[in-house]
Amino acid sequence: MAIAKQYLKTKPICKVTFTVPVAEEAKNVAVVGDFNNWNTKESSLKKLKNGTFKGTFYLPKENTFEFRYLIDGAYVNDSEADGYQWNEYAGAENAVLEI
């Protein structure tokens, strides 16, 4: 998994691209977190021909967000996240994205 951050010079926004190389058997991958109110409908990643899922979000700078991937109904953390935060509600750790 990978997270690419591109800071825009003219706006207080960061272009964040999430890439999930899950293999072709996965049908749906979404990235849900604080930045989209954990909404799975607005967070789907696009499946590429090679089986990788990819999506870009424009997020405000100088923020920290908790997030997880939802891969065919199962929550998964990104191994390349900036950190991890325990979430009492979920009873598990969430990945942390620092922008």
Side-chain angles (χ1 to χ4, degrees), residues 12 38 50 56 77 82 92:
W38 300 89
N50 65 2
T56 301
N77 277 329
D82 297 323

Side-chain angles (χ1 to χ4, degrees), residues 3-70:
I3 302 168
K5 301 174 191 174
Q6 180 182 2
Y7 293 91
L8 304 181
K9 293 179 182 178
T10 58
K11 297 180 182 179
I13 293 174
C14 181
K15 178 180 172 184
V16 181
T17 302
F18 296 93
T19 305
V20 182
V22 212
E24 295 186 21
E25 64 270 1
K27 294 182 178 165
N28 296 303
V29 177
V31 60
V32 294
D34 294 344
F35 54 87
N36 62 10
N37 294 318
W38 300 89
N39 186 339
T40 58
K41 293 180 182 177
E42 298 178 11
S43 59
S44 293
L45 302 183
K46 183 179 178 180
K47 188 172 187 177
L48 305 178
K49 289 181 181 180
N50 65 2
T52 297
F53 287 81
K54 195 172 194 177
T56 301
F57 296 82
Y58 293 87
L59 304 177
K61 287 182 186 177
E62 299 178 9
N63 282 284
T64 300
F65 300 100
E66 290 184 28
F67 76 98
R68 295 184 91 184
Y69 295 111
L70 186 60

